[in-house]
Amino acid sequence: MADTFLTRAFDLTTGSREAAVDITDRCAAFLDETAGGRDGLLNVFVPHATAGIAVIETGAGSDDDLLAALRDLLPADDRWRHRHGSAGHGRDHVLPALVPPHATLPVVEGRLALGTWQSVVLVDTNRDNPRRTVRLSFLGA
């Protein structure tokens, strides 16, 4: 079977607060449509300077803990040189250095090969831009 590369984007709204949005189901649905039971890689990418992708546990408080840790590491105050937008917005532009704007994940027999408690999460601390795009790309053989 020939190598395959398929890509698709979807939009979501994160709201006016910091957010950790579980997008695992969207990733799985994309693979159901594109992977055809094959092995490969799923790349998840957000083309934004103020958002990232994390693979973490959700639903047991870890997603809120991540946001709290980011608030501790990147306070929303006036220390930042990047000053447009709401107060402390410069921290949002540092976020992708800690939570990268991409993740590449293994796909086995058409399904994400995540650990039992792992989820794919869009992390967005930017209260000024609630509209986000996520690009999913499957590379399979």
Side-chain angles (χ1 to χ4, degrees):
M1 185 176 275
D3 289 343
T4 301
F5 180 79
L6 300 163
T7 188
R8 182 171 307 140
F10 67 90
D11 295 323
L12 60 91
T13 301
T14 57
S16 59
R17 298 176 22 177
E18 299 170 333
V21 180
D22 188 337
I23 59 170
T24 309
D25 289 346
R26 301 287 292 264
C27 294
F30 171 72
L31 291 173
D32 285 346
E33 295 173 17
T34 60
R38 291 171 292 173
D39 294 347
L41 296 171
L42 175 69
N43 183 264
V44 184
F45 175 72
V46 289
H48 300 282
T50 59
I53 298 293
V55 178
I56 62 169
E57 179 180 2
T58 59
S62 297
D63 38 355
D64 292 331
D65 290 341
L66 174 60
L67 294 174
L70 290 171
R71 280 192 296 278
D72 289 344
L73 290 170
L74 304 171
D77 59 22
D78 64 357
R79 73 183 68 202
W80 308 102
R81 290 180 183 93
H82 188 111
R83 293 187 183 260
H84 75 83
S86 62
H89 175 64
R91 78 180 187 128
D92 302 325
H93 288 275
V94 176
L95 173 76
L98 300 175
V99 181
H102 59 87
T104 301
L105 306 167
V107 176
V108 177
E109 297 179 353
R111 299 198 180 280
L112 278 174
L114 295 173
T116 301
W117 304 112
Q118 290 180 313
S119 296
V120 183
V121 176
L122 169 77
V123 178
D124 186 1
T125 59
N126 183 355
R127 299 178 316 261
D128 295 338
N129 182 10
R131 296 179 50 100
R132 297 297 179 180
T133 298
V134 178
R135 176 159 299 283
L136 304 176
S137 300
F138 173 69
L139 176 62

